[in-house]
Amino acid sequence: MITYNPKDWFTFIFRFHKADTLRKLAPLIFGISVYCWVIAFLELHVLKIPDNSHIKQITVMHTLLSFVISMLLVFRTNTAYDRWWEGRKQWGSLVNNSRNLAIKLHSMLGYEDAAHRSFFKKIIPMYASVLAHHLHAESTRLALDEQEHPELRELNTSQHLPNQVAKLIIQRVNKLYTEGKIKGDQLIILNNELQSFTDICGACERIKNTPIPYSYSVFLKKFIFFYVMTLPFSFALSLGYLAVPVVAFIFYVLASLEEIAEEIEDPFGGDENDLPMNKMAQNIKKHVVEILS
C-alpha cells in the first residue's frame, strides 16, 4: 500500500508512479486521439460539413448522458472502495483479536508452561501469514519461514490451510482445558477470539471471490467506449482540431475512474494500492511474541 502525505499537492501532480492510470491507458488514449483527428480531418477538409449541420446537435445527447454516466461511475467507485475498506476492517479485526488472544493466554498460562507458550507464539502469527498467502494465491499454498514447525506436520497443503491452522489452535486450547491448565469459564472467554479467525477468513473470501456483477462491468465499459467514440463528431465542428486533446482528456478521466475501481475492488491482490497483508502479519508476529514472552 502506498504511504503518502495527502497535503502535498505538487507531488501528486508531477509524480507518476507504477499504479498511475495514465501509464496503463496511454495506448488507448493515443488510439482515441488518432481516431478523433481522423474524424476532424474528414469533417473539416473532406466532407466539409457546414457549422449549422445537425451533427453538431449531438452534444445534446452527450449532455443528457453525462448525468447517467456520472451516476454509474459514482456507484462503481463507491462500491469498489467499500470492498477495499471492508477488507481493511477485517484485517484490523484480525490484528486486534490476535493480540487479545495472546493477552488472555498470557494471563491464563503459568510461566512453567513454556511448551504451550512457544506453540502459541508460532501458531497465532502463522494464521495471519497463511491467510495472507491464501488470499494472494489462486490455489492455496503454505509458505512458512525457515524454522522447523513440528506442530504443523499434520497440515495437508491440498486442503484449506487457514481452517487447518485454526483447528490446531482450538485443539491446543482444548488440550489446555482437559489438562486442567484453564477452567471452563476461561475457555468461554477465549471462544470469541477463536471463532473470529474463521469469521474473518470467510469475510475476506467473500470479498475475494465475489467481484462486481459481470453484466454491470461490461455495460459500463461499453457505455464509456461509445460515449467517447461519438464525441468527435460534434466536437470537431465546434472546436476543430482542438477536439483531439479534449476528447482524449475526457476518455482519460472516465476510463481512469473505472481503472481505479477495478484495482481497489480486490484489496488482497499484488497492486500498490492493495492491503499490506504481509506487513500486518509481521506486526502480529512481533506483538504476539512480545506478549507471550
Side-chain angles (χ1 to χ4, degrees):
M1 187 170 65
I2 300 175
T3 303
Y4 64 95
N5 180 9
K7 298 180 180 180
D8 192 355
W9 275 70
F10 290 100
T11 301
F12 292 158
I13 296 173
F14 299 105
R15 176 186 173 188
F16 295 93
H17 54 86
K18 184 179 178 181
D20 196 279
T21 55
L22 184 60
R23 295 176 181 270
K24 301 178 181 179
L25 296 173
L28 289 175
I29 293 175
F30 177 78
I32 292 293
S33 300
V34 172
Y35 167 79
C36 185
W37 183 89
V38 171
I39 296 298
F41 177 80
L42 292 176
E43 289 188 348
L44 297 177
H45 301 290
V46 178
L47 300 178
K48 297 182 180 180
I49 299 176
D51 291 340
N52 59 353
S53 174
H54 293 294
I55 296 179
K56 198 173 183 179
Q57 304 303 319
I58 298 179
T59 53
V60 177
M61 178 192 70
H62 296 144
T63 302
L64 296 175
L65 293 180
S66 60
F67 175 77
V68 178
I69 198 170
S70 63
M71 294 298 294
L72 290 173
L73 288 173
V74 166
F75 174 78
R76 179 75 171 98
T77 52
N78 286 346
T79 302
Y81 181 77
D82 286 342
R83 293 165 59 87
W84 187 92
W85 183 241
E86 176 65 20
R88 181 62 185 91
K89 289 195 296 184
Q90 292 299 329
W91 269 84
S93 298
L94 180 61
V95 173
N96 293 336
N97 292 333
S98 299
R99 293 170 179 170
N100 289 332
L101 180 60
I103 291 172
K104 292 178 180 180
L105 288 171
H106 171 73
S107 63
M108 295 176 186
L109 295 175
Y111 287 102
E112 67 278 4
D113 298 321
H116 292 304
R117 286 178 175 271
S118 177
F119 175 84
F120 286 113
K121 282 181 188 178
K122 297 177 180 178
I123 199 69
I124 295 176
M126 189 166 292
Y127 185 86
S129 178
V130 168
L131 179 60
H133 287 285
H134 175 70
L135 295 174
H136 271 311
E138 294 296 330
S139 58
T140 305
R141 60 184 179 86
L142 181 62
L144 302 178
D145 53 28
E146 297 178 356
Q147 299 180 358
E148 293 293 331
H149 298 280
E151 68 277 4
L152 299 179
R153 290 172 180 169
E154 298 179 0
L155 285 182
N156 185 351
T157 56
S158 64
Q159 297 180 3
H160 193 281
L161 295 181
N163 284 348
Q164 293 188 70
V165 177
K167 181 176 68 175
L168 292 177
I169 297 176
I170 295 177
Q171 286 176 346
R172 181 56 66 98
V173 172
N174 186 66
K175 183 178 180 181
L176 293 175
Y177 174 70
T178 57
E179 292 178 352
K181 301 289 185 179
I182 61 175
K183 300 178 182 178
D185 54 347
Q186 293 176 323
L187 183 63
I188 296 175
I189 293 174
L190 295 174
N191 183 66
N192 289 335
E193 281 72 25
L194 298 176
Q195 182 178 348
S196 68
F197 285 175
T198 303
D199 293 339
I200 292 171
C201 178
C204 292
E205 288 176 336
R206 168 174 51 82
I207 298 173
K208 178 76 175 180
N209 300 327
T210 312
I212 192 170
Y214 176 77
S215 58
Y216 184 90
S217 181
V218 170
F219 173 76
L220 184 56
K221 288 181 173 61
K222 289 181 179 179
F223 194 176
I224 293 175
F225 176 78
F226 288 109
Y227 181 83
V228 173
M229 296 299 283
T230 56
L231 288 176
F233 291 99
S234 59
F235 280 19
L237 295 178
S238 57
L239 300 177
Y241 288 105
L242 188 61
V244 175
V246 172
V247 172
F249 180 74
I250 293 175
F251 173 76
Y252 166 70
V253 172
L254 298 179
S256 293
L257 290 174
E258 171 65 13
E259 191 75 21
I260 292 171
E262 288 181 354
E263 180 178 343
I264 67 175
E265 70 177 353
D266 179 12
F268 309 123
D271 298 323
E272 286 188 341
N273 288 313
D274 291 333
L275 298 178
M277 295 185 294
N278 292 328
K279 179 63 176 178
M280 287 188 280
Q282 293 174 5
N283 290 336
I284 290 175
K285 181 178 182 180
K286 175 183 176 181
H287 298 154
V288 170
V289 171
E290 290 176 353
I291 293 170
L292 291 174
S293 297

